[in-house]
Amino acid sequence: MVVKDFDELKALGHDKVAGKIVLFNEIFDKQKAAGGMAFAAYGESVRYRGAGPKAAADLGAAAALVRSVGSADFRLPHTGFSFPAGIPAGAVAAEDAALIAHLAAEGKVRMHLTLTPQKLPDAISYNVIADLKGSEHPEQFVIVSGHLDSWDLGTGAIDDGAGVAVAMETAEILQRLHLRPKRTLRVIAWMDEESGGSGSQAYSKDYSADFIHTVGAIESDSGAAHPLGFAVKMSARASELLRPVLEILQSFGASALLPTSYPPGADIAAMAESGVPALSIMQDGRTYFHYHHTAADTLDKIVPSELRENAAAMAVMGYALANMKDPLPR
Ligand SMILES: [Zn+2]
């Protein structure tokens, strides 16, 4: 059964869906992505990868497939998290989804699925944390971060090797410039962002007492393209106090400040919810979903000069937060 959305699936009902393989053939809005709204386009499509298998299973489907999400079609499947559904689930490349949809419109289609993923037992792994100790308030923290893990189709260069490199480079830049911030700059490479966030959960458990002394948390997890500025979850008064920082960021086009109601960054979400001013670098997303979560997420997609701009953006913001006279108001 080929459906384009949840409503169409629901309208078919249990009798028509039971025992069938359901293909969610929702087409990614490439124009929206090309126009600078890539994350909105992603959000609209990725629902089917996340919740599609469960919706199909609830109507008795034998398996669920999703048309790969992405702003470019290279006949590559796009992977990522799905809610457990108890039935086999997979992604097919956009070109193959289109072919299956075409054939299904002509008549009955039979498919044989060979799905090889396995869920292995949990293993011990670690967040990697490094502190550049503050000179006046070592007990207060500014967190700069990215995540270590990736989907293993590619090498995870843009998601999120770039974020880890940028966070590490923030401390490196301050060292190289002989700048010693008043507060501690804490570099974190988070483990397990992609498969449930157990790394950031462990950090919350072990360090929740530090949240009150954490004056800001920054994450980079949207690739390595030119930084446009920051998405922020903080009070209006706090945003206002960042104005002088934005003037510096303006010199390389990274001065946009976009207030969000949701936490900007999965790994800093618990801190954001507890009131820590939270920021994520907002990269130009126009090509991010060409490669995201596919075998094409490799280092050659990263433009070194743009990666350096990201490191500069995080370093300027991280240093400002760590060196302000008073912490940002919550
Ligand atoms: Zn990521």
Side-chain angles (χ1 to χ4, degrees):
M1 306 298 305
V2 179
V3 297
K4 68 174 196 309
D5 55 30
F6 289 122
D7 290 341
E8 205 177 313
L9 178 74
K10 228 179 186 167
L12 286 171
H14 184 275
D15 286 354
K16 288 195 174 135
V17 174
K20 304 274 173 40
I21 300 171
V22 172
L23 169 64
F24 291 95
N25 192 36
E26 209 270 348
I27 298 173
F28 189 94
D29 190 339
K30 290 181 180 143
Q31 279 183 310
K32 193 173 267 182
M37 297 177 71
F39 285 83
Y42 180 69
E44 287 162 17
S45 290
V46 83
R47 308 186 282 142
Y48 296 95
R49 188 199 74 205
K54 178 76 168 62
D58 286 348
L59 294 176
L65 298 174
V66 64
R67 179 186 178 113
S68 282
V69 172
S71 49
D73 302 330
F74 301 122
R75 214 174 181 190
L76 293 174
H78 170 271
T79 190
F81 181 85
S82 294
F83 293 104
I87 57 170
V92 290
E95 295 86 339
D96 297 309
L99 177 62
I100 294 165
H102 175 75
L103 292 172
E106 304 276 299
K108 191 170 178 174
V109 177
R110 289 171 60 86
M111 291 185 75
H112 176 85
L113 304 183
T114 303
L115 301 175
T116 57
Q118 323 160 43
K119 178 135 173 78
L120 300 175
D122 284 345
I124 294 284
S125 194
Y126 299 93
N127 296 320
V128 179
I129 303 177
D131 285 349
L132 184 62
K133 281 270 183 259
S135 57
E136 282 179 30
H137 298 290
E139 79 293 353
Q140 295 180 8
F141 300 98
V142 172
I143 287 167
V144 292
S145 65
H147 70 81
L148 272 176
D149 61 309
S150 70
W151 295 95
D152 64 0
L153 301 176
T155 56
I158 62 167
D159 184 11
D160 186 27
V164 172
V166 163
M168 288 169 66
E169 187 68 3
T170 295
E172 165 70 13
I173 287 170
L174 299 193
Q175 287 279 49
R176 224 183 301 147
L177 295 174
H178 304 291
L179 293 172
R180 182 86 188 275
K182 290 179 190 154
R183 301 183 184 86
T184 296
L185 188 84
R186 174 166 282 179
V187 181
I188 306 182
W190 304 102
M191 179 45 77
D192 185 33
E193 186 274 340
E194 298 286 4
S195 179
S198 57
S200 54
Q201 286 160 20
Y203 184 85
S204 290
K205 196 162 148 273
D206 294 348
Y207 292 96
S208 59
D210 284 347
F211 284 10
I212 194 73
H213 310 296
T214 302
V215 305
I218 314 176
E219 180 160 27
S220 176
D221 186 18
S222 307
H226 169 69
L228 298 161
F230 291 84
V232 299
K233 185 171 191 295
M234 60 177 66
S235 65
R237 175 80 191 115
S239 299
E240 191 60 31
L241 290 169
L242 292 178
R243 199 175 285 248
V245 187
L246 302 183
E247 279 170 29
I248 300 165
L249 294 168
Q250 177 73 56
S251 66
F252 56 101
S255 65
L257 209 63
L258 182 75
T260 65
S261 51
Y262 50 87
D267 296 299
I268 57 172
M271 279 182 271
E273 301 288 7
S274 83
V276 175
L279 308 90
S280 70
I281 302 185
M282 218 166 30
Q283 281 91 357
D284 177 341
R286 285 177 295 173
T287 62
Y288 183 58
F289 293 105
H290 288 14
Y291 315 118
H292 175 262
H293 291 196
T294 74
D297 179 359
T298 50
L299 186 59
D300 52 296
K301 309 307 183 307
I302 291 179
V303 178
S305 61
E306 293 178 345
L307 186 66
R308 283 195 287 273
E309 288 179 332
N310 280 287
M314 197 181 270
V316 167
M317 186 59 80
Y319 182 69
L321 295 173
N323 230 39
M324 285 177 138
K325 193 164 156 291
D326 299 308
L328 287 178
R330 292 193 170 202

